[in-house]
Amino acid sequence: MYRNKKILAIVPARAGSIRLKNKNFLELDGKPLIQHTIDKLLKIKIIDRIIITSDKKNISKFVKKNKKVIFEPRSKKLSSSKSPVFNTIFDIVKRNPKFSIVSYFLPTNPLLPIIDIIKGYKRLRNFNSVISIIEYEDPIEISLRYEKINKKIRPIFKNLLNNKTNSRYLTKSYRPTGCFYISYRKEILKNKSFFSKNKCSGVLYSKPKEYVDINSRSDFEYAKYILRSKKI
């Protein structure tokens, strides 16, 4: 509970995965990928309930039992690869009115620093929603669209056409890390999004060199490499 408001943390863990099979349950550093996220959330005392939503039938075999953690089966419709994860979150939000603050965390970000999560919840003092973000390595103004069929490229912005590409004169841009999204339940129901137009804040990923979002085998191997390096 934070400022007399109950907090719900949701961890969506779909069984199917196109690029990396069964990724949410692969063993990383001695435990399933999903357990890394759950362990971090359990260390944050202000979280009242953690819901693991999945279409995996034997998910309880992969996750340690804890009185704060409950499992919710995900419908076939919401488990489709074409169904946005927000649809699953929104379904849970509607059915849990006793929680004033709702957050969700993807299992594919096992190295997320706990301090970032704490900052996120505290930021709700002044904002309606808070999202984990990281800086783009290169200016988005020099990005291109590439058409694989005809091999053509097309600038998305006018900077390349106007030769305005010096990064020193371009404003830095950021993107969601996918690590966490936090908001008030009433705002989620109103906006049907974790993005609030005027009062949305971003928490910069505090250890960008250790950031990894696991969606492929190479991502998974990189996460293993980072964890091995931290033990040296």
Side-chain angles (χ1 to χ4, degrees):
M1 186 173 289
Y2 178 64
R3 304 180 78 186
N4 295 319
K5 292 179 172 60
K6 283 193 173 184
I7 296 178
L8 172 63
I10 304 169
V11 182
R14 195 167 61 87
S17 178
I18 297 174
R19 285 179 285 177
L20 181 60
K21 188 177 180 180
N22 212 32
K23 66 180 179 182
N24 291 320
F25 306 96
L26 292 177
E27 188 170 296
L28 176 67
D29 199 32
K31 57 186 176 183
L33 190 60
I34 187 175
Q35 191 65 51
H36 287 265
T37 297
I38 295 170
D39 287 347
K40 292 178 193 294
L41 298 178
L42 288 172
K43 290 179 181 179
I44 301 174
K45 303 304 180 184
I46 60 173
I47 294 176
D48 298 281
R49 178 60 56 84
I50 301 170
I51 292 180
I52 312 300
T53 173
S54 178
D55 57 329
K56 194 171 184 64
K57 294 180 180 180
N58 60 341
I59 187 173
S60 59
K61 294 181 180 180
F62 293 87
V63 179
K64 295 178 183 177
K65 290 183 179 180
N66 188 286
K67 62 181 181 180
K68 267 192 179 183
V69 180
I70 66 171
F71 303 96
E72 279 200 6
R74 198 188 303 192
S75 68
K76 188 175 182 179
K77 180 181 178 181
L78 292 175
S79 300
S80 167
S81 60
K82 295 181 180 180
S83 177
V85 67
F86 179 77
N87 290 357
T88 297
I89 304 304
F90 194 67
D91 177 64
I92 295 174
V93 170
K94 289 187 293 184
R95 293 187 283 104
N96 286 272
K98 67 179 181 180
F99 296 99
S100 299
I101 297 172
V102 179
S103 47
Y104 83 85
F105 303 79
L106 296 179
T108 51
N109 305 110
L111 306 183
L112 169 65
I114 293 178
I115 187 64
D116 290 12
I117 304 173
I118 296 172
K119 285 179 181 178
Y121 285 121
K122 288 184 176 180
R123 199 72 64 85
L124 285 180
R125 291 176 181 174
N126 303 307
F127 294 90
N128 290 337
S129 59
V130 185
I131 294 159
S132 170
I133 62 173
I134 195 167
E135 182 183 338
Y136 273 110
E137 291 185 6
D138 297 304
I140 61 171
E141 288 84 357
I142 63 172
S143 55
L144 302 162
R145 294 289 186 203
Y146 176 61
E147 299 175 11
K148 291 184 178 180
I149 296 177
N150 57 28
K151 309 298 189 245
K152 289 183 178 181
I153 58 174
R154 174 174 55 84
I156 296 176
F157 301 93
K158 295 181 179 180
N159 294 67
L160 289 170
L161 299 173
N162 299 328
N163 297 312
K164 295 180 179 180
T165 59
N166 193 320
S167 60
R168 289 181 297 172
Y169 305 109
L170 298 174
T171 303
K172 291 182 178 180
S173 298
Y174 304 82
R175 64 175 177 84
T177 63
C179 293
F180 65 76
Y181 296 78
I182 305 171
S183 188
Y184 290 103
R185 180 177 181 271
K186 62 180 182 180
E187 292 295 324
I188 300 171
L189 293 174
K190 181 178 71 174
N191 300 317
K192 293 183 172 57
S193 171
F194 275 83
F195 284 88
S196 180
K197 289 183 179 180
N198 299 316
K199 298 205 70 176
C200 184
S201 179
V203 173
L204 273 171
Y205 199 92
S206 59
K207 296 182 179 180
K209 291 184 179 180
E210 295 180 6
Y211 170 71
V212 60
D213 183 18
I214 298 176
N215 288 299
S216 64
R217 175 57 62 177
S218 59
D219 294 335
F220 187 70
E221 293 302 323
Y222 181 57
K224 288 168 64 175
Y225 167 76
I226 295 174
L227 288 170
R228 284 197 302 267
S229 300
K230 290 165 73 72
K231 292 179 180 179
I232 297 176

